[in-house]
Amino acid sequence: MKNQYLPLAKRVAHWLDQHLKKTPAGLTWDISHSFAGQWRYYDEASLYAGASGIIKFYLLLAQVSGETRYFTTAYQAGQELAARALAPAAHLEKAFSKYAYTTGLGGVAQALAWLDQAQPTPRFAQAICQILQGIVAEQRPDGAWSGQIGIVADGGTALLLGHLAPRYQIPGWQAALRKFGAYVLRQRQVDAHGQAYYVGLDLNYVGGPAGKFNTGFPLGPAGVAYTLLKLAAWTGEDRFTAGVTGIREFYEYYGQKEAILMPHYHPDTEGICYVGYCGGPVGVARYFYQLALQQDDRQAARDFTAAVAGLDLVQAPAKRSAGYWQTENYCCGTAGILNLQLGAYLATGQPAYLTQAQATGQLLANRAVQTTQAVYWHQAFERKVPTNITAALGYYDGAAGIASQLLELGEIEQGHLNTHRLIDDPYPATWKLSQ
């Protein structure tokens, strides 16, 4: 019996292939129609919306299908990424920071590392090393890179460095992480209710509401605390573990008793609760899981369960809500929910989570636009502009990420999994069902 989502994933790839374009160095995907808003969209090389993330899907599809043509496409796209990375004054457009993981050069290094692992290529290794060396060399004296400590910016840069620097033998990587960790610890705040928190991204940076901060994972306290846990593991310094004290309690205090679902912004005046990776329980659950795993924290394990249950408070993914609009993607929507449900099943072995994931998978398949040769999803990327419908290509924003989660579901249904995890995804990358 084969992966039930393989035929669908191959039709997604067929649709993505229609957006391929040749470059002097290799291939990339034209993402110019992924977004139609008023602001400039992410770079076509980015992990979030462009080639670096789409490569992740093609690598998984090559593995599951056994068809080398998907790897060939990914490899040729890697050649273009390497050329971008090695160009003078290399940078990605609209990156949160130069070496950001999802939007900057950090994501390029990640995609090239996946390719280099599959087929060692000196040019890929050269580009990866140049990016990692740049991260170390361009760190500010205060320990930051941009000053924004969330995973969306400097936190993601640090996670990438810790993940790849040992493999590529980058001098000074641990010292750089210690400097950044010290900078993060200095950003700790305590509110009027005695609750500790970190601001992952100053909302003024993105035109958000003044006097508030995001409560989620890549932009909020949970993601900063997750980064500190990883820094502690890489450096052996207990002060970084101590730095997460009170963050679990922050979510317990402002969340519900039996389920954790936070308002998107804090202090809250709108009552909008995101559900996804970017601002909801899908992302926050990752911190609780990592805390339980790394510290053997039983309360964190209970909070992980409570975060999963937070989806039930708004009946996601069956029902739409203010924080779960027409978005099926990995970042804000349904594919992110599927990622959590699958992670919860792998982490706990509880069949109920797999049953939930299977229902979500069918929901994603039913919501797709399907023709005999192509599959994609119509979405409203901007919550505040629900009539602006596009069909994005990328991993975080579109079809590549959705299809990847469906493929992983299909593999788990077969009793095994072997996938690449993103640097802030703590769930098992390899798994086999015990008989």
Side-chain angles (χ1 to χ4, degrees):
M1 184 176 176
K2 291 186 176 181
N3 187 317
Q4 69 161 317
Y5 290 104
L6 179 57
L8 181 147
K10 292 172 75 169
R11 284 188 287 157
V12 170
H14 179 81
W15 181 73
L16 291 170
D17 285 346
Q18 295 174 27
H19 297 80
L20 280 169
K21 61 180 182 180
K22 291 184 178 180
T23 70
L27 293 173
T28 194
W29 286 267
D30 179 2
I31 66 167
S32 60
H33 297 293
S34 287
F35 180 69
Q38 297 300 311
W39 46 276
R40 187 163 44 101
Y41 202 52
Y42 302 107
D43 197 291
E44 67 179 16
S46 69
L47 188 67
Y48 190 95
S52 295
I54 298 173
I55 282 172
K56 186 179 187 300
F57 165 59
Y58 274 68
L59 289 175
L60 181 60
L61 183 56
Q63 176 187 299
V64 173
S65 69
E67 297 182 32
T68 58
R69 61 191 175 107
Y70 299 119
F71 179 81
T72 299
T73 298
Y75 190 85
Q76 291 175 335
Q79 297 282 12
E80 169 62 17
L81 289 182
R84 286 285 305 269
L86 293 169
H91 72 285
L92 268 58
E93 295 296 323
K94 207 182 182 300
F96 277 103
S97 54
K98 181 178 178 180
Y99 296 108
Y101 185 70
T102 50
T103 57
L105 288 170
V108 173
Q110 175 68 92
L112 290 173
W114 289 326
L115 289 165
D116 190 46
Q117 181 180 352
Q119 184 171 315
T121 303
R123 186 165 173 80
F124 292 170
Q126 180 188 3
I128 295 163
C129 288
Q130 183 163 305
I131 291 171
L132 296 177
Q133 289 164 357
I135 291 172
V136 174
E138 296 174 35
Q139 188 176 28
R140 297 184 335 198
D142 64 4
W145 287 277
S146 70
Q148 306 295 330
I149 60 174
I151 289 176
V152 75
D154 291 359
T157 301
L159 290 173
L160 177 80
L161 187 64
H163 180 60
L164 292 183
R167 186 194 312 175
Y168 289 94
Q169 299 181 334
I170 304 300
W173 68 273
Q174 283 183 307
L177 293 184
R178 290 188 183 97
K179 284 178 61 178
F180 176 65
Y183 178 85
V184 171
L185 294 178
R186 295 196 296 272
Q187 312 311 309
R188 179 184 175 89
Q189 300 184 53
V190 178
D191 68 16
H193 298 277
Q195 301 305 307
Y197 66 96
Y198 294 95
V199 176
L201 187 76
D202 184 345
L203 293 177
N204 291 325
Y205 193 75
V206 291
K212 298 184 180 184
F213 64 91
N214 187 284
T215 63
F217 186 70
L219 294 84
V224 176
Y226 178 94
T227 303
L228 284 171
L229 287 176
K230 299 297 285 187
L231 293 181
W234 285 321
T235 66
E237 297 206 9
D238 292 339
R239 57 178 173 152
F240 300 137
T241 303
V244 310
T245 302
I247 302 304
R248 171 172 58 75
E249 290 82 357
F250 170 87
Y251 288 96
E252 293 169 354
Y253 184 84
Y254 289 110
Q256 309 291 328
K257 288 186 179 295
E258 300 300 327
I260 292 177
L261 181 71
M262 297 286 288
H264 186 52
Y265 296 125
H266 182 80
D268 176 45
T269 56
E270 299 174 296
I272 296 175
C273 299
Y274 278 32
V275 303
Y277 159 79
C278 60
V282 168
V284 171
R286 295 182 178 189
Y287 169 60
F288 296 137
Y289 175 74
Q290 186 64 33
L291 182 61
L293 195 68
Q294 198 165 322
Q295 298 295 314
D296 193 25
D297 187 323
R298 293 184 180 181
Q299 183 58 44
R302 288 191 286 270
D303 285 344
F304 174 77
T305 302
V308 180
L311 296 170
D312 297 334
L313 296 179
V314 288
Q315 301 177 51
K319 183 180 178 181
R320 300 291 187 186
S321 61
Y324 177 51
W325 60 103
Q326 187 181 342
T327 173
E328 315 298 352
N329 62 29
Y330 179 87
C331 178
C332 323
T334 316
I337 293 174
L338 179 55
N339 170 265
L340 171 60
Q341 292 167 337
L342 291 175
Y345 173 65
L346 296 180
T348 68
Q350 294 182 20
Y353 288 133
L354 179 58
T355 300
Q356 291 174 8
Q358 289 170 321
T360 302
Q362 288 303 309
L363 197 64
L364 277 170
N366 293 339
R367 289 175 177 175
V369 178
Q370 300 200 35
T371 70
T372 55
Q373 292 187 309
V375 172
Y376 55 91
W377 286 263
H378 282 145
Q379 301 180 90
F381 184 78
E382 290 186 282
R383 174 177 60 84
K384 296 180 179 180
V385 192
T387 58
N388 188 356
I389 305 295
T390 55
L393 279 66
Y395 197 91
Y396 282 78
D397 67 338
I402 299 169
S404 294
Q405 295 307 307
L406 288 172
L407 275 179
E408 290 185 9
L409 168 59
E411 291 295 275
I412 290 170
E413 287 179 325
Q414 300 306 304
H416 55 81
L417 180 68
N418 184 14
T419 191
H420 292 295
R421 291 291 182 187
L422 298 163
I423 54 169
D424 59 356
D425 183 342
Y427 306 121
T430 57
W431 171 84
K432 190 172 183 179
L433 182 64
S434 300
Q435 299 297 332

